[in-house]
Amino acid sequence: MRTNSTPTYSRKMTALLWTIQGMLALVFLSAGCMKLAAPMAALAQQAPQLPPLFLKFIGLAEVAGALGLVLPGLVRVGRGLTPLAAAGLVIIMTGATVITAAGGHVGGAVVPCVVGFLAAFIAYKRRLPGRAAGAELAAA
């Protein structure tokens, strides 16, 4: 007998989570696609402190994270991947915040910081309780 391992939320909370997930997915999908489509020279000019190939990797991770935010819930398979995708995006946004602030643009670091907090909120709210998380991932 299998029990439902996903937390149940009110309709308002569910709508809020899906709204934030959708907005974050659009943000990361567009940012990731721009990094992947941009020539290496343009990436080197935008962020001279980071290697262009690393920025391409970040773009790929952003696209994967964007898909991971919405696809598991839409197809109802591997729902435990959504909090993992959100947590990965938190790591990316933490790095973006630190690099932006270290470059002297403290005001510009607010946007990646807020986006990171939103991703952390999704990672926390969409987590699976206890051992059910491992069972859900194993079934995926």
Side-chain angles (χ1 to χ4, degrees):
M1 180 171 124
R2 183 174 173 187
T3 60
N4 187 5
S5 61
T6 57
T8 56
Y9 294 117
S10 69
R11 294 182 115 189
K12 286 183 182 180
M13 179 57 80
T14 301
L16 175 67
L17 291 172
W18 272 108
T19 301
I20 294 172
Q21 283 174 244
M23 289 177 11
L24 287 174
L26 289 174
V27 166
F28 284 109
L29 191 62
S30 67
C33 286
M34 286 195 310
K35 285 180 185 77
L36 291 174
M40 294 282 213
L43 289 175
Q45 284 181 333
Q46 283 179 340
Q49 68 273 27
L50 296 174
L53 196 56
F54 180 68
L55 291 173
K56 292 278 186 183
F57 170 74
I58 293 296
L60 185 62
E62 287 174 339
V63 169
L67 296 175
L69 283 174
V70 293
L71 285 182
L74 290 178
V75 297
R76 295 189 167 128
V77 175
R79 290 184 182 172
L81 296 175
T82 297
L84 292 177
L89 293 171
V90 169
I91 293 168
I92 292 172
M93 288 296 97
T94 301
T97 302
V98 168
I99 288 174
T100 305
H105 304 289
V106 178
V110 171
V111 173
C113 184
V114 169
V115 171
F117 275 118
L118 288 172
F121 177 73
I122 294 300
Y124 177 74
K125 285 296 194 178
R126 291 294 191 191
R127 75 196 186 289
L128 296 176
R131 290 186 292 170
E136 179 78 17
L137 287 175

